[in-house]
Amino acid sequence: ETDLIMASSLPQVHFWVGKHMDLFADAMEERTKGEVSFTRFYAGELTAVGRELDALQGGAIDVAAPLLAPYHEGAFPLSDVTQLPTVGTDAVSQTRAFQALMDSDVALVDGKTFHDYEIAAKQIHAWPVATTAAYAISFAGVVPKSAADLKGMPLRAGSALHTIFLSELGATPVSMPSSASYEALSRGTVEGTILSVADWRSYSLQDVLTYTITGVAVGHWGSYLAISDAAWTRLSENERATWTETARQIAIRNAELIQAQDTEVLEESKANGGTFADLSTLAPDLKATIERASVATWKRWVEQTEAAGHPGMATAKLWATLVKEQGGALPDGVETYLASAD
Amino acid sequence: MSHDVILLIVAGWFGVFLLLGQHVATVLFGTGIVGILLWTGPRVLNGVLGQDIFYTASNYSLSIIPLYLLMAQLLLRGGLVLDLFRVGHRLAGYRRFPLGVATLVIGGLLGAVSGSGAASAASLATLSAPELERVGYSRRFAIGLSAVAGSLSAVIPPSLIVIIYGAITSVPIGALFIGLLGPGLLCMLVYIGCLAVFEELRPGHDGTPDRPDQPEELERGALGASLFMIALMLVVFGGIYSGIITVGEAGAIGAFTALVGLTLMRRIGWRDLGRALADSAKISAMLMLIVIGAQIFARFLAFSRLPRDLLALAEPLVDQPGLLVAVLMATLFVAGMILESAAVILLIVPIVLPILQAANIDLLWFGVLASFMIALGLLTPPVGLSAYAAAAARRHPVAEVFRPATKFAVAAAVIVIGATILFPEIVTWLPRHIR
Amino acid sequence: MKKLHDRLGQFEWGLASVGAGLCLFTIMIITVLSVFGRYVLLVDLIPGGYNIIERMLFPLMVFWALPLAHRDGIFPRLELVSALLSRRLGTMIAILMLLVELAVFLFILWYVTQYALAGWRSDRAMQLGSGFFPVWPFIAMVPVAFGLMAIEMIWQIGRHIHHFAAGRAVPQVHGETATGAD
Ligand code: NA
Ligand code: NA
């Protein structure tokens, strides 16, 4: 019998915990008939947001559920690719694309696949949890009518990619963690944020966000279910196979639940007077600015990632292909840009 | 080793080293490390110590602390307390009760720009205790009253305890500040009542006030300086309340305004600024080491799952939030008597948080109450830093000073906490109306 | 020996007064400027100011000020029991407390040094605006601070033993009182 210390830096109400970590642990315990069990820790009891890799490598925990890749500053340089803007994508399609990215045998650089580059050297084994639903641009009490309205507007950025996107929009990106955004939004320190609607509930943002632009995804955040190599070797061949299969299935289930929550929160917000405007219904100059910013975000991410010595272009191309295979689309101009590099 | 034995060892380590006078932060580090070593073995420490120590200190919310310390330091060095005292003294007209009230009000005003109660108590004891004696109060009562007035710095927002509570629970610090305003003002009223009820006169004093030989002339600028301080208070609270700036920004702008204002009034120079900066950094560093030690200790608590066992134990109380809160408040009062206040909040909150959430207790309301209760520990024996500071400033035995000070603290605990439990709106009404 | 200790004291004073003081001053100025930029100029004057304060300036301030705060004796502790003890017993217990404290700090020092080295080897980074910046130089200040405090403890132990052997009371070098969150 193997008992593993499983920890999340997020509380149980978060969809990556209540709708992934617990489902996964329950399923594993059931499928191995208790041969593999978990002692579960929540809400940062054992490890904090962005410190999960330290905790895994240092042996403080066996399993991180999830390992929040976007908060590990600079540690997963290619994983941010899921945060690039897309069109018509949802949690399920992007989760499948992310799984395909992890499975891909396309060599990005020096014969290394995405998995080799991001995961293998870190003394962990990892599988995608569901990606979030589409990140949308939301505002608190203001309705931008034109590109000029966005000029200099302080908007909250949750990651390096958001910062790029917002500055390309002409807005003023203010970076802060999601947990600080309720206070900042309700007191006007920032006038809007980029976040998935499903995520609003974790931070009570449905009370403050009144106007949201949909139809373009400012990416989908991805994260991993990760186990340390040391713990992995304690599992039998069969248990590992069960683990891999379970991780794959629960990620998809997680995606379905996240997408359902996205719809649910959106309907709730509408019922309370919230407005959701599709990109196609916006004033032409505003729409053009958002589209231009989306393409520029791809471009700047590739350039910055390459400048830091990582295969940004090859990753972006692979991701673009996988997104389309799952029925998603890319902002106008992205394909031209990616093709221009050949 | 059985888990019960480990818990005994850990509790023993904590108690023995704390009592024998080891630094509080070291006690927390030692207890946490020994606990983790015994409970899980050394392997997990690799994943705990390095990252927890750096990243606990890498926290934006806690970076607010030195800014509020800096603002208070600058005002103290600029001599504003003295001016405030002169103005209050003048308004009170050298009569006993009004002078006592003035001391409390000055303590409250000082509290509105300072987050820490010991420094305020020392300056008030130096300035007002002799005058309070002169108008007829006994020596120990005069010093005790200065300690009480000084302790208001931890009771009236801004308060460092509240910043730490907000940082570890993610309750917005701005809302906590505003929520503390009601109980803080109520506490001042209670103290004014206590002043009338508990007053102790100098032996042989017949109760008629002495006339001072010659009321000193108000120094030029004393009134202006006092008005400046009140304006500064309005900038800080107005900014937070109107939602224009966050608490951290209010601290920075407050410190900056104090710096510019005092420099223009030629009350501070480069040397004062340097000292104020260094002292604020040192005190913050000292506090942060306690925060970091408590973090390591909290990791041990998490591994031991003690908070969860405690939650199971407290199950019957969860259905009776009133009783639960009363028990917690009594615990905090006792803990606040012996421990540094930052350590109290850091030790107790992680343990009781699951219970509070299970009982559906408003974390804003609880945080305000808890911070208030812990602040009263400044006045109670055996360790009450305001009483110590005031006694030391007047070179008087602290045991004597504790007697009146404890009476005030107990009255405030019973009346203010009681009222806030019966009428939670005292805390929650204002924060609900901020933008 | 005494000279070396004084030199170290000057170094710690420089770290705290100049280094940490400037960090705090910069935190204040960055915050004031970003509010000014936001409301008056409608731009982000210091992109990534939040990250700069959180990951660079505040930790630097803390770890640079710690050794001097420790040396100046402002760390709070309970003095209840020690006040009741005889002088010799009191000094003996003080030595014991210092030895345990030193052991705890050396233990921590080992781990934080490992962590700092690992950060350096893996080029640990922090987010700064839209890019990244090395964070390991800031993490490296943690072992520096704990190392300096450990040296001070060794010095204090020597001092206590010296006075104990001579049968004298250990003079209090530091007069400052703690003014913490209280
Ligand atoms: Na205060
Ligand atoms: Na006390």
Side-chain angles (χ1 to χ4, degrees):
Chain A
E1 281 178 36
T2 316
D3 187 67
L4 299 171
I5 296 181
M6 182 186 232
S8 172
S9 55
L10 301 170
Q12 243 169 324
V13 294
H14 195 280
F15 50 62
W16 276 336
V17 184
K19 291 174 180 170
H20 184 280
M21 170 177 163
D22 283 337
L23 299 190
F24 175 80
D26 291 345
M28 271 306 283
E29 285 172 352
E30 194 191 311
R31 290 175 186 186
T32 62
K33 305 203 168 53
E35 282 302 310
V36 176
S37 61
F38 301 92
T39 308
R40 307 176 201 186
F41 294 90
Y42 302 97
E45 280 180 292
L46 288 192
T47 182
V49 171
R51 312 267 71 82
E52 296 97 345
L53 185 60
D54 280 334
L56 283 168
Q57 291 177 338
I61 63 175
D62 299 317
V63 182
L67 181 158
L68 293 164
Y71 288 108
H72 284 68
E73 297 161 290
F76 294 90
L78 302 184
S79 300
D80 284 355
V81 76
T82 67
Q83 294 181 39
L84 291 171
T86 49
V87 176
T89 46
D90 65 20
V92 179
S93 74
Q94 295 309 85
T95 303
R96 292 190 194 281
F98 194 19
Q99 287 181 336
L101 182 64
M102 285 282 277
D103 295 341
S104 165
D105 51 15
V106 173
L108 300 173
V109 67
D110 302 336
K112 284 184 180 169
T113 64
F114 179 84
H115 181 274
D116 294 338
Y117 203 94
E118 290 288 273
I119 307 295
K122 295 194 168 75
Q123 301 130 50
I124 54 170
H125 282 66
W127 299 262
V129 300
T131 65
T132 62
Y135 268 49
I137 319 162
S138 303
F139 301 87
V142 288
V143 178
K145 295 277 184 223
S146 68
D149 289 352
L150 288 180
K151 192 106 202 103
M153 185 186 278
L155 297 174
R156 177 253 169 190
S159 70
L161 257 165
H162 291 170
T163 311
I164 296 176
F165 178 78
L166 290 175
S167 49
E168 291 294 337
L169 268 187
T172 300
V174 180
S175 44
M176 61 175 71
S178 306
S179 53
S181 50
Y182 179 84
E183 186 172 15
L185 280 165
S186 55
R187 23 195 57 230
T189 309
V190 294
E191 297 186 60
T193 183
I194 302 184
L195 196 66
S196 79
V197 178
D199 235 351
W200 289 4
R201 231 182 236 169
S202 311
Y203 313 102
S204 311
L205 299 185
Q206 61 271 38
D207 305 338
V208 282
L209 294 173
T210 50
Y211 180 80
T212 299
I213 297 171
T214 58
V216 59
V218 190
H220 297 249
W221 278 33
S223 277
Y224 300 103
L225 164 73
I227 178 170
S228 68
D229 283 352
W232 186 245
T233 54
R234 287 159 61 198
L235 301 182
S236 72
E237 199 74 18
N238 269 338
E239 288 163 354
R240 291 183 194 177
T242 310
W243 181 296
T244 303
E245 195 196 337
T246 309
R248 200 170 277 276
Q249 289 169 351
I250 297 293
I252 299 298
R253 179 77 193 120
N254 185 207
E256 292 162 357
L257 291 168
I258 289 174
Q259 202 51 48
Q261 181 172 331
D262 202 67
T263 314
E264 201 181 300
V265 177
L266 186 140
E267 290 305 330
E268 259 172 37
S269 170
K270 269 188 185 164
N272 291 325
T275 312
F276 294 81
D278 191 80
L279 185 66
S280 58
T281 65
L282 300 182
D285 78 309
L286 183 57
K287 177 168 178 282
T289 305
I290 292 175
E291 282 167 343
R292 214 169 28 244
S294 304
V295 180
T297 304
W298 278 73
K299 199 161 167 265
R300 271 184 60 188
W301 182 77
V302 168
E303 286 166 4
Q304 283 194 4
T305 310
E306 292 283 343
H310 307 296
M313 186 46 116
T315 311
K317 281 182 174 174
L318 177 57
W319 179 243
T321 312
L322 297 173
V323 168
K324 284 185 292 180
E325 276 176 18
Q326 296 301 331
L330 305 176
D332 270 348
V334 168
E335 293 203 65
T336 325
Y337 164 66
L338 292 176
S340 72
D342 285 327
Chain B
M1 208 180 290
S2 94
H3 285 168
D4 291 340
V5 175
I6 297 176
L7 286 178
L8 265 176
I9 294 175
V10 166
W13 181 291
F14 183 84
V16 167
F17 287 109
L18 187 72
L19 278 177
L20 290 182
Q22 205 170 50
H23 294 137
V24 174
T26 311
V27 175
L28 293 170
F29 275 120
T31 315
I33 289 172
V34 167
I36 293 174
L37 278 175
L38 294 177
W39 200 278
T40 64
R43 78 182 172 104
V44 305
L45 284 173
N46 260 324
V48 170
L49 277 181
Q51 54 154 331
D52 269 352
I53 291 179
F54 178 76
Y55 284 98
T56 303
S58 173
N59 179 321
Y60 186 82
S61 301
L62 293 171
S63 75
I64 299 172
I65 291 175
L67 293 170
Y68 279 96
L69 283 169
L70 179 62
M71 174 163 68
Q73 285 276 338
L74 289 170
L75 293 173
L76 283 177
R77 286 179 193 277
L80 263 108
V81 187
L82 183 62
D83 286 325
L84 206 60
F85 175 73
R86 285 192 180 124
V87 172
H89 206 169
R90 184 62 175 259
L91 289 175
Y94 298 93
R95 285 163 300 150
R96 194 171 66 239
F97 183 71
L99 191 67
V101 173
T103 306
L104 288 169
V105 172
I106 291 165
L109 285 175
L110 195 57
V113 290
S114 156
S116 124
S120 306
S123 17
L124 282 170
T126 311
L127 292 170
S128 55
E131 297 300 319
L132 289 165
E133 273 184 71
R134 210 136 73 113
V135 294
Y137 288 116
S138 75
R139 188 168 167 80
R140 74 171 188 204
F141 190 79
I143 301 172
L145 190 64
S146 311
V148 169
S151 77
L152 283 169
S153 285
V155 167
I156 305 273
S159 144
L160 300 190
I161 310 174
V162 159
I163 295 178
I164 293 174
Y165 178 85
I168 61 175
T169 57
S170 298
V171 178
I173 298 169
L176 285 165
F177 274 13
I178 302 298
L180 187 58
L181 214 49
L185 292 174
L186 181 60
C187 179
M188 270 181 74
L189 290 179
V190 170
Y191 284 164
I192 290 172
C194 290
L195 179 66
V197 177
F198 297 141
E199 73 166 4
E200 282 176 11
L201 299 187
R202 210 169 56 210
H205 192 274
D206 58 3
T208 56
D210 295 338
R211 272 275 150 203
D213 320 329
Q214 192 69 58
E216 50 185 311
E217 276 302 303
L218 268 190
E219 210 173 286
R220 231 160 50 92
L223 198 63
S226 302
L227 289 176
F228 173 71
M229 191 152 129
I230 290 168
L232 187 61
M233 215 175 78
L234 292 177
V235 168
V236 171
F237 283 103
I240 296 175
Y241 193 81
S242 64
I244 295 171
I245 45 178
T246 62
V247 188
E249 292 166 349
I253 289 174
F256 184 74
T257 313
L259 174 62
V260 172
L262 293 168
T263 308
L264 289 180
M265 288 189 266
R266 295 170 178 255
R267 282 165 166 267
I268 53 167
W270 285 110
R271 187 178 289 266
D272 296 306
L273 173 62
R275 291 228 177 103
L277 283 168
D279 281 351
S280 311
K282 263 163 54 182
I283 296 169
S284 310
M286 176 273 283
L287 281 172
M288 285 306 299
L289 196 68
I290 297 179
V291 176
I292 296 169
Q295 174 68 24
I296 304 297
F297 181 73
R299 291 285 182 239
F300 159 69
L301 284 180
F303 278 114
S304 74
R305 296 171 89 82
L306 200 65
R308 266 174 241 205
D309 298 346
L310 218 63
L311 173 61
L313 211 67
E315 204 71 74
L317 277 180
V318 166
D319 299 329
Q320 288 168 289
L323 187 60
L324 175 65
V325 170
V327 170
L328 289 177
M329 286 301 139
T331 313
L332 286 169
F333 189 77
V334 174
M337 286 173 76
I338 352 174
L339 274 171
E340 216 273 344
S341 36
V344 179
I345 207 98
L346 287 160
L347 284 180
I348 306 241
V349 168
I351 298 180
V352 302
L353 207 55
I355 304 178
L356 295 174
Q357 279 160 344
N360 254 330
I361 289 172
D362 180 3
L363 289 182
L364 168 82
W365 175 79
F366 180 79
V368 167
L369 245 67
S371 305
F372 180 85
M373 199 50 141
I374 292 167
L376 295 180
L378 289 166
L379 297 173
T380 55
V383 180
L385 286 187
S386 281
Y388 267 107
R394 297 293 301 147
R395 300 179 195 289
H396 195 76
V398 69
E400 291 258 288
V401 177
F402 274 134
R403 297 184 70 175
T406 305
K407 284 187 198 166
F408 277 71
V410 170
V414 173
I415 299 173
V416 178
I417 297 286
T420 319
I421 290 177
L422 286 178
F423 308 102
E425 291 78 14
I426 298 174
V427 174
T428 56
W429 191 82
L430 269 177
R432 237 185 315 184
H433 289 80
I434 59 178
R435 193 185 107 100
Chain C
M1 208 44 211
K2 175 93 172 66
K3 216 174 208 172
L4 199 70
H5 183 248
D6 288 346
R7 272 280 173 76
L8 213 56
Q10 278 165 12
F11 174 66
E12 290 175 6
W13 184 87
L15 264 189
S17 298
V18 182
L22 274 179
C23 285
L24 175 52
F25 189 78
T26 316
I27 291 176
M28 176 181 78
I29 295 297
I30 286 183
T31 311
V32 170
L33 282 180
S34 59
V35 173
F36 181 77
R38 189 165 72 226
Y39 286 111
V40 183
L41 310 175
L42 300 180
V43 290
D44 190 7
L45 270 183
I46 300 159
Y50 188 97
N51 309 118
I52 294 174
I53 292 174
E54 177 169 271
R55 289 271 187 279
M56 298 180 179
L57 293 171
F58 184 56
L60 273 189
M61 187 207 83
V62 170
F63 293 112
W64 280 351
L66 260 182
L68 189 66
H70 176 238
R71 175 182 284 243
D72 281 355
I74 66 165
F75 285 10
R77 56 205 182 93
L78 210 61
E79 283 161 358
L80 265 185
V81 174
S82 52
L84 303 174
L85 301 174
S86 75
R87 200 176 69 202
R88 275 188 86 73
L89 189 59
T91 312
M92 262 168 67
I93 285 184
I95 293 171
L96 176 73
M97 289 303 102
L98 280 164
L99 283 170
V100 173
E101 187 165 50
L102 178 65
V104 170
F105 270 66
L106 287 177
F107 189 86
I108 295 172
L109 182 60
W110 164 259
Y111 280 94
V112 293
T113 308
Q114 293 302 311
Y115 187 73
L117 284 175
W120 173 62
R121 277 192 226 107
S122 65
D123 239 335
R124 187 177 277 268
M126 58 171 281
Q127 191 197 324
L128 191 55
S130 62
F132 294 93
F133 194 87
V135 73
W136 58 263
F138 305 95
I139 297 180
M141 292 307 135
V142 183
V144 170
F146 278 77
L148 285 171
M149 286 192 283
I151 293 174
E152 173 69 16
M153 284 164 205
I154 295 172
W155 166 261
Q156 287 295 338
I157 291 169
R159 213 173 130 256
H160 275 74
I161 290 177
H162 181 75
H163 285 286
F164 183 75
R168 291 192 304 260
V170 183
Q172 287 280 305
V173 259
H174 318 295
E176 295 192 48
T177 47
T179 48
D182 307 283

